[in-house]
Amino acid sequence: MAEKTLEALLKEDRHFPPPQDFRERAVVRDPKVYEQAAQDRLKFWESFAQQLHWFKKWERVLEWNPPLAQWFVGGRTNLSFNCLDRHLTGSRRNKTAILWEGEPGEERTLTYAQLHREVCRFANGLKELGVCRGDRVTLYMPMVPELAIAMLACARIGAPHSVIFGGFSAEALRDRINDSKSKVLVTADGGWRRGAVVPLKRNADEALEGSPSIEKAIVFQRIGTDASPIMKPGRDLWWHELVARQPDWCDPEPLDSEEMLYLLYTSGTTGKPKGIIHTTGGYMVGCFATTQWVFDLKEEDLFWCTADIGWVTGHSYVVYGPLLNGATTLMYEGAPDFPAKDRFWTIVKKYGVNVFYTAPTAIRAFMKWGEEWPKKHNLSSLRLLGSVGEPINPEAWIWYRQTIGGGRCPIVDTWWQTETGHILISPLPGITDLKPGSATRPFPGIEADVVDDKGNSADAGYLVIRSPWPGMLRGIYGDPERYKTQYWARFPGVYFTGDGCKRDADGYFWLLGRVDDVLKVSGHRLSTMEIESALVDHQSVAESAVIGKPHEIKENAIVAFVTLKGNVKATPELMDELKAHVVKKIGSIARPDEILFTAELPKTRSGKIMRRLLRDIAEGKALGDTTTLADTSVVQALKEKYEESE
Ligand code: PRX
């Protein structure tokens, strides 16, 4: 984050207590919850576990052999049972579980009883194809209810799912399938995005040419005649044909608390994405508790988390958290600006959304589009707003509160990560005085801290978590060493988040963005190394260095400095070709905003690229310390060239 903004942020002294009527009706009203949870963290988490269904009760809440944690040890449970069957005996049986709107405008509702039936049938379909407990299943789907159905079906039979965001390219999909060695791929003939078809099946076909572990591909028909995919005999089968012959009941597997629930790939500091492992019992309890307390969920609420299920926010707060609580979760397939820039507000008004959870990058885009769009709609059904994915600047926070929340809705700015599984830092909306731009305090039972370089508690430095929490990742798939070095080595026995953070005199946390080579671009998590590898993969590129440059809406714009091989000429056509190459290797979310060709990259005498200087150049700042450079003229020339190119 730029220093100027940081300074402004830390001078932020406005605060907003919960409105009285909100406080009076809130799920959590008593500030003592913090103290009570801190006194006995295990008892705190156990109290949530007790509200869920277990085939066999746990023997111990936690077993902690740093950095390996086991939660609800010895317990047996099933996520799908807890999300579905548990609600079927009472008044929730015919309550809407999923309310869906397709981008072209179709509506679908699935009650708990209907969702249960669909999940059972698909689970039986997976079994028919030979999927057994422990087998991985990759899901590459649009935002349709069938994605949630497939996840819950996997959870029901104990086959870990690996959801791959539909915006990833064929190559990215293939790498992730191969890393997880999935047996089955579930995809669709396509999805709708801004009126165009996302060719999921075509990408899947390309990926499957190099994915030998996949035995079967199940294809959901979302588009129909406009897509007409080629079905490969013996490998591909239609979803509707598979489920048509299945019975409505499928026994839920009583899974061990620590059995793998899912894998989710995310970017780290190297070129290779990591398959984050989440297990059953602890993740379930963490999602259940945080959804209820942070979003103040009431029986009649309609909850809308706008995240794509391809990311962790969608896993925990579109699917598992709301369904564990018996809530109604809204799913929308398409873009926020299609067919017009008020699509979200049309949806809020049409269905009467009560709790709305989105990302700062979206809020900043709404701000830019102008308040006339939300003003066209009556948004008075909203009572609570949420934010996630990146730091929210106070201006966007205030705009969100006023323009979307009508000045009456509290905002929960929630900090967490793919690795943490669920929210770890957030206000409790009935208790917490809010400060615009601060995620406020650790959730009860979470021991977060800010530390300096040596690992001592400090007012500013790195955000760490000092003790285990139920939904924490249990490892990186196929790479146990990387799990240890990545998260637990910097400060032994303490979880290193990779985020910078400041704590104010009231103990409020102010997140300052990543301190490593991970970039947040429109809320998507990317690694600079991954983009560099994609560029270097092109035949014309000798070397590249990628940095993030502060961007008004996206938080970061991707800037790539590229040196070309031998006598390859730097042309505008080549620049476009390189951008397209990155899209092909990773997906359009990683397309560089700017590429600058340079004869050389600034390096230290030991050959390390000095990214700090590249960032200074891209931000138009005076160059910092250049004394360690091997050749100072390189950076000066580069700076001049960059300024010319702008
Ligand atoms: O830098 C933090 C930022 O998003 C990172 C995690 O990204 P991902 O695994 O994709 O998960 C995003 C959704 C949970 C964090 O390391 N981040 C997330 N939430 C916030 C945030 N930064 C500031 N404030 C937040 N509320």
Side-chain angles (χ1 to χ4, degrees), residues 538 540 564 568-581 591 595 597:
H538 190 279
S540 303
L564 296 170
V568 178
K569 274 189 69 190
T571 61
E573 292 74 37
L574 181 59
M575 196 180 283
D576 290 343
E577 197 179 313
L578 293 183
K579 288 183 183 175
H581 192 69
R591 180 197 301 274
I595 290 185
F597 294 120

Side-chain angles (χ1 to χ4, degrees), residues 10 45 61 63 65 125 128 189 191 213 231 306 366 368 468 516 530 633 637:
L10 300 178
W45 291 115
V61 178
E63 199 152 305
N65 302 306
E128 184 195 298
D189 57 353
S213 63
M231 301 292 277
T306 67
F366 301 143
K368 191 162 177 215
D516 53 12
E530 214 175 328
S633 65

Side-chain angles (χ1 to χ4, degrees), residues 359-627:
T361 191
I363 299 166
R364 289 190 293 261
F366 301 143
M367 274 175 85
K368 191 162 177 215
W369 296 341
E371 61 178 25
E372 61 269 27
W373 294 103
K375 287 260 152 77
K376 281 207 263 182
H377 303 272
N378 178 348
L379 304 179
S380 61
S381 62
L382 292 172
R383 60 178 199 86
L384 176 62
L385 304 173
S387 169
V388 62
E390 27 172 343
I392 179 165
N393 44 315
E395 305 73 50
W397 194 101
I398 295 286
W399 187 92
Y400 194 28
R401 184 184 141 87
Q402 287 312 119
T403 313
I404 306 304
R408 72 183 178 279
C409 305
I411 295 179
V412 285
D413 173 7
T414 64
W415 177 92
W416 58 297
Q417 307 175 302
T418 306
E419 292 87 341
T420 70
H422 50 80
I423 294 165
L424 295 195
I425 303 180
S426 165
L428 292 176
I431 296 179
T432 314
D433 277 10
L434 307 174
K435 300 188 191 183
S438 169
T440 75
R441 298 177 63 183
F443 191 80
I446 299 298
E447 223 191 315
D449 199 0
V450 179
V451 299
D452 61 19
D453 265 331
K454 298 199 175 65
N456 299 318
S457 290
D459 291 340
Y462 306 111
L463 175 68
V464 297
I465 316 293
R466 290 202 175 273
S467 54
W469 63 98
M472 65 187 263
L473 78 163
R474 300 300 197 264
I476 295 175
Y477 195 68
D479 199 348
E481 261 323 290
R482 192 170 171 198
Y483 168 70
K484 290 181 191 159
T485 53
Q486 187 84 50
Y487 304 108
W488 302 94
R490 178 96 185 228
F491 307 113
V494 174
Y495 176 81
F496 182 67
T497 62
D499 277 14
C501 191
K502 152 105 187 147
R503 186 168 31 199
D504 70 15
D506 297 327
Y508 276 41
F509 287 65
W510 299 78
L511 276 306
L512 306 175
R514 302 289 308 191
V515 294
D516 53 12
D517 292 329
V518 169
L519 286 185
K520 281 292 186 115
V521 180
S522 298
H524 302 316
R525 178 166 157 179
L526 295 163
S527 124
T528 53
M529 288 272 290
E530 214 175 328
I531 305 170
E532 287 164 9
S533 312
L535 285 164
V536 173
D537 178 78
H538 190 279
Q539 56 191 19
S540 303
V541 175
E543 202 173 23
S544 92
V546 167
I547 54 145
K549 171 180 168 181
H551 184 275
E552 193 193 354
I553 293 179
K554 304 202 289 186
E555 189 187 354
N556 280 297
I558 303 172
V559 180
F561 293 84
V562 168
T563 60
L564 296 170
K565 276 187 192 156
N567 42 18
V568 178
K569 274 189 69 190
T571 61
E573 292 74 37
L574 181 59
M575 196 180 283
D576 290 343
E577 197 179 313
L578 293 183
K579 288 183 183 175
H581 192 69
V582 175
V583 172
K584 179 165 174 283
K585 300 295 290 181
I586 305 174
S588 49
I589 52 171
R591 180 197 301 274
D593 295 272
E594 296 174 33
I595 290 185
L596 191 86
F597 294 120
T598 167
E600 273 176 276
L601 288 167
K603 290 189 186 154
T604 60
R605 282 174 210 115
S606 60
K608 229 177 130 220
I609 296 172
M610 291 201 57
R611 288 160 198 287
R612 178 177 53 77
L613 291 178
L614 294 176
R615 275 194 287 268
D616 288 349
I617 292 173
E619 287 175 38
K621 283 196 204 152
L623 294 176
D625 183 7
T626 57
T627 48

